Amino acid sequence: MYEENDIAVVLGTRPEIIKLAGVIRNLGARASILYTGQHYDAELSESFFHTFKLPPPDLLLSGISGSHRSIQISSATYQLADYFRQTRPRLVIVQGDTNSTLAGAQAANYCGIPVLHVEAGLRSNDRSMPEEINRRLVSVLADIHCAPTSWNAANLVSEGIPLYAVRVTGNTIVEATCESLPGLEESREILARYGLCENEFILTTIHRPENTDDPERLAEILDSLAEAPIPVLFPVHPRTAASAHGFGLTERLSMVRHVPPMDYSTFLALASQARLLISDSGGIQEECTIIKKPLIVVRRNTERPEAIAAGFAVRVSHRREISEEIARILTMSELARALVNRPCPFGDGKASERITEIALTMAEGGALPPSQAFGEFSYSPELHGTHGGAAGRTLRRSPVEGGSLAQ
């Protein structure tokens, strides 16, 4: 008989809550929730825990939110290690590539506790991204790596991670999105609340430092959104709002219909009814393949090439490319029908079940079954179609992302 709360789950951001909720619920009394508060907001955090039917955290760290990255990681590592020394969990689960993820993995490793890394093996190969450094370091610390796709698993093996330590599980975002997506009637009520018409608007989010910390870059993005031929709804991240104000770009921001951040279900409802998504978010690159919507990824590179290879997304960089892709996609009359029939490359909605089984086996000291060949949740890097323009340049610029939006 094993003790309650003997599997520690470390999270600190809203995406981590979303993606680990199913695993935490499956673990039941075995799970203890350790919340670093990296994205702490009393109202929003409580809302996310409530939305995903999670109990309050067993531990809430202090002094993390709003601090410099170095302080977030060092302080969270210290506080978590102190907690682990006192409670001695059998296993620590971390997810993704946040500062909280790295702190949790380090603290567990320093205390001699096994680490299970969920969403392992994503790679952008861009060391200027803090997330890239975090996920690579966690790969060194983790004992078992749950890779969402065969592409991610291959990344890990190519870096010297032994095959027996890698499992292809799918991505938990699939079940989280399906669980959180409102029905059609409720989605239409949300549309009406925002004064929007189905399939006649663009939904956008921009928050990454590469886009918000450069005034010229942010101005280009805002200008391209303002030029769009159909309405653009822009839930503005606090970082983006602060940058727009600090760089004197509030007038440009006012040219687009901007609204405060919204809860996850509301966002998914709007995304499912939009004609087109534009974002620099990693999560939306996954969600677009589940709700079957086209996405323009405004990034220099991406750690999720699957969405592009599967034909749901195209990556662009400069203002002219953004505007070209908006115009091109809006003229593709058969695109919506084509996307509905494309499979999601991120799994079958059973990732949480697989990860829970692995976690329980690790916590109980059992042997995991041999790792299978990486056949599940793979994708072909071949194009779904050919085209020129900005998308064609994108593919030539980044051959690892072999694929893009096409009819």
Side-chain angles (χ1 to χ4, degrees):
M1 187 69 177
Y2 292 93
E3 298 177 4
E4 292 187 356
N5 304 126
D6 62 344
I7 300 176
V9 183
V10 177
L11 41 79
T13 66
R14 287 181 283 281
E16 288 168 295
I17 298 173
I18 293 168
K19 290 186 172 184
L20 287 175
V23 174
I24 293 171
R25 292 197 304 264
N26 288 346
L27 290 173
R30 298 288 296 272
S32 60
I33 302 174
L34 314 184
Y35 189 49
T36 71
Q38 181 179 330
H39 281 181
Y40 185 72
D41 176 287
E43 184 176 345
L44 279 178
S45 297
E46 284 187 21
S47 169
F48 272 68
F49 278 99
H50 176 75
T51 297
F52 285 93
K53 302 178 179 63
L54 299 178
D58 296 274
L59 175 69
L60 175 60
L61 304 190
S62 61
I64 307 299
S65 179
S67 300
H68 185 270
R69 178 173 177 243
S70 61
I71 297 174
Q72 287 191 343
I73 294 172
S74 59
S75 178
T77 301
Y78 174 81
Q79 293 181 63
L80 288 169
D82 185 58
Y83 182 83
F84 293 154
R85 284 193 297 268
Q86 296 177 47
T87 60
R88 301 304 306 176
R90 295 176 179 270
L91 174 70
V92 172
I93 299 176
V94 297
Q95 193 275 333
D97 51 24
T98 70
N99 295 340
S100 300
T101 305
L102 178 55
Q106 287 188 94
N109 181 268
Y110 298 160
C111 294
I113 301 167
V115 175
L116 172 61
H117 186 199
V118 176
E119 200 177 87
L122 278 67
R123 295 293 183 266
S124 69
N125 297 308
D126 182 353
R127 289 172 57 88
S128 70
M129 295 175 61
E131 297 90 344
E132 181 73 2
I133 301 300
N134 288 347
R135 52 186 167 246
R136 285 181 178 270
L137 290 173
V138 174
S139 292
V140 175
L141 298 165
D143 296 275
I144 295 294
H145 310 255
C146 291
T149 70
S150 58
W151 180 277
N152 307 141
N155 286 338
L156 292 165
V157 173
S158 72
E159 293 169 7
I161 304 296
L163 184 63
Y164 66 78
V166 179
R167 296 293 185 277
V168 179
T169 60
N171 196 312
T172 58
I173 192 62
V174 178
E175 50 261 43
T177 299
C178 293
E179 175 187 339
S180 304
L181 182 64
L184 183 58
E185 185 175 343
E186 184 179 351
S187 295
R188 286 174 174 168
E189 290 175 358
I190 292 171
L191 276 183
R193 191 189 314 158
Y194 283 88
L196 297 167
C197 296
E198 181 179 350
N199 207 41
E200 294 183 12
F201 69 98
I202 296 169
L203 182 64
T204 187
T205 69
I206 299 292
H207 75 283
R208 299 189 63 81
E210 70 177 81
N211 290 324
T212 62
D213 292 358
D214 181 336
E216 186 174 329
R217 174 89 171 139
L218 183 56
E220 276 193 352
I221 293 171
L222 293 175
D223 287 344
S224 65
L225 295 176
E227 294 168 355
I230 61 176
V232 174
L233 184 68
F234 187 0
V236 181
H237 190 282
R239 177 192 291 134
T240 310
S243 293
H245 178 75
F247 295 146
L249 299 175
T250 51
E251 185 174 343
R252 275 186 163 97
L253 181 59
S254 68
M255 299 297 290
V256 180
R257 185 179 171 193
H258 57 283
V259 296
M262 56 191 63
D263 65 76
Y264 189 53
S265 291
T266 298
F267 178 82
L268 286 178
L270 292 169
S272 69
Q273 300 297 311
R275 178 83 167 274
L276 169 65
L277 308 176
I278 301 175
S279 181
D280 57 10
S281 162
I284 295 176
Q285 292 177 64
E286 298 161 346
E287 291 152 354
C288 76
T289 71
I290 304 164
I291 61 174
K292 312 299 183 183
K293 288 292 178 177
L295 168 67
I296 296 175
V297 181
V298 186
R299 300 243 314 246
R300 289 190 299 266
N301 48 52
T302 179
E303 64 285 349
R304 293 171 173 86
E306 294 93 340
I308 296 173
F312 289 93
V314 61
R315 184 180 61 81
V316 300
S317 181
H318 302 295
R319 173 183 175 181
R320 180 169 61 85
E321 294 176 327
I322 298 171
S323 296
E324 278 186 19
E325 287 302 325
I326 291 173
R328 185 182 70 84
I329 293 169
L330 293 183
T331 63
M332 298 172 71
S333 59
E334 298 299 317
L335 179 60
R337 185 180 304 173
L339 293 185
V340 166
N341 295 318
R342 290 183 187 168
C344 169
F346 295 107
D348 57 1
K350 297 181 180 179
S352 294
E353 295 178 21
R354 296 185 181 98
I355 293 165
T356 301
E357 183 178 356
I358 292 169
L360 290 171
T361 302
M362 291 179 69
E364 294 164 8
L368 294 176
S371 179
Q372 303 298 313
F374 302 144
E376 291 183 286
F377 318 129
S378 60
Y379 64 91
S380 168
E382 298 177 358
L383 294 176
H384 285 273
T386 58
H387 52 74
R393 289 192 296 276
T394 297
L395 297 177
R396 289 191 290 273
R397 185 169 62 243
S398 183
V400 72
E401 298 172 358
S404 71
L405 281 167
Q407 292 190 44

